[in-house]
Amino acid sequence: MNKAHERRLFLSAAAAGLLIASVGGSFAASPLKLEFVTHAAFFSAETKQPKTLDPQVFVEDASAPEATGPQGIKHVAGERPPFIDQDPKTSKLFNAAHKPLGFDLQSWLSATGTVNIVEKDSKVTLEATFKNLQPNASYSLFENHFDTKPISFTPMDGVGKTNSFTAKADGTASITLTLPSMPTHDNAVLVIYNSGGGSHGMERGRIGMDAHHQIIARPE
């Protein structure tokens, strides 16, 4: 057998091996390391708002009528979504029914965090750490699905049992959980503040009332 023939056989065998591997198993996705940004900035950029605003919380404005905000959240008269670059950071925040949330705009916008997602042995693990959350408050991790119309949301763990956590007294928190699959650009990791004091299982809660999107991280 000449060397050229041997080489062709070798390449054919290698190609067959790759095909078998791709059919019989899957390659691990590259790890993700993401930084959270405020939902206000993310939403305003995605929807091309003329001014950066937060559609999930509200500030007092005596001239504001009862209305439905840019994310479909109906609020009472006398309040409106805050304009991030216009309203004082000391502005007190309320829910859509004018119930005080107990903190100001600066505190709300200060939340930060990082998330690492790794696939190993067909298991996808998420590890996230946070700071500047509301002390002793309830939070939940949900997954945005941008590839559905309308955009849909599911608990990060897929079942709504391990995706919630409570921030410590100093506003820090961490959580580790197993995901159903590796997120892509069609997805995002969403942190929801549960102003009602508890999580909502498979559902996000009443958005703008007892649950509010605070920070978000989306793969490139």
Side-chain angles (χ1 to χ4, degrees):
M1 185 181 299
N2 61 44
K3 291 184 178 181
H5 186 56
E6 288 178 355
R7 179 175 175 79
R8 284 195 296 272
L9 288 176
F10 174 80
L11 292 175
S12 297
L18 288 173
L19 179 60
I20 292 170
S22 65
V23 173
S26 60
F27 295 104
S30 298
L32 293 175
K33 184 173 184 179
L34 308 172
E35 297 283 340
F36 285 97
V37 300
T38 64
H39 179 263
F42 180 86
F43 170 80
S44 298
E46 286 287 306
T47 58
K48 296 179 172 58
Q49 297 294 318
K51 296 181 180 180
T52 303
L53 56 80
D54 194 318
Q56 299 271 326
V57 293
F58 303 88
V59 295
E60 291 183 320
D61 184 339
S63 66
E66 178 181 335
T68 299
Q71 207 171 24
I73 300 172
K74 187 175 181 179
H75 63 82
V76 300
E79 65 177 25
R80 58 166 172 77
F83 294 110
I84 304 306
D85 300 320
Q86 176 179 319
D87 290 313
K89 295 300 187 291
T90 54
S91 300
K92 300 301 182 183
L93 296 185
F94 300 81
N95 75 357
H98 198 238
K99 179 181 179 180
L101 294 180
F103 48 84
D104 60 21
L105 184 58
Q106 179 64 47
S107 178
W108 176 249
L109 297 174
S110 295
T112 60
T114 59
V115 58
N116 293 290
I117 304 175
V118 178
E119 182 179 3
K120 184 178 180 180
D121 299 328
S122 299
K123 180 180 179 182
V124 181
T125 302
L126 175 150
E127 295 182 348
T129 58
F130 306 95
K131 61 181 180 179
N132 300 328
L133 299 180
Q134 294 307 306
N136 305 310
S138 171
Y139 287 86
S140 298
L141 292 184
F142 270 71
E143 184 172 359
N144 277 64
H145 300 282
F146 293 105
D147 55 346
T148 64
K149 292 184 178 182
I151 294 172
S152 59
F153 304 85
T154 55
M156 286 302 303
D157 64 350
V159 293
K161 294 183 178 180
T162 62
N163 64 309
S164 296
F165 61 94
T166 301
K168 296 180 180 179
D170 63 357
T172 62
S174 61
I175 183 173
T176 300
L177 53 87
T178 300
L179 308 186
S181 60
M182 194 74 173
T184 69
H185 185 66
D186 287 333
N187 316 114
V189 182
L190 175 66
V191 179
I192 296 178
Y193 167 61
N194 299 310
S195 64
S199 59
H200 304 275
M202 290 293 293
E203 303 298 326
R204 291 175 294 158
R206 295 178 298 160
I207 299 302
M209 292 292 287
D210 59 14
H212 315 261
H213 300 183
Q214 187 169 12
I215 53 178
I216 188 170
R218 186 179 187 180
E220 295 295 333

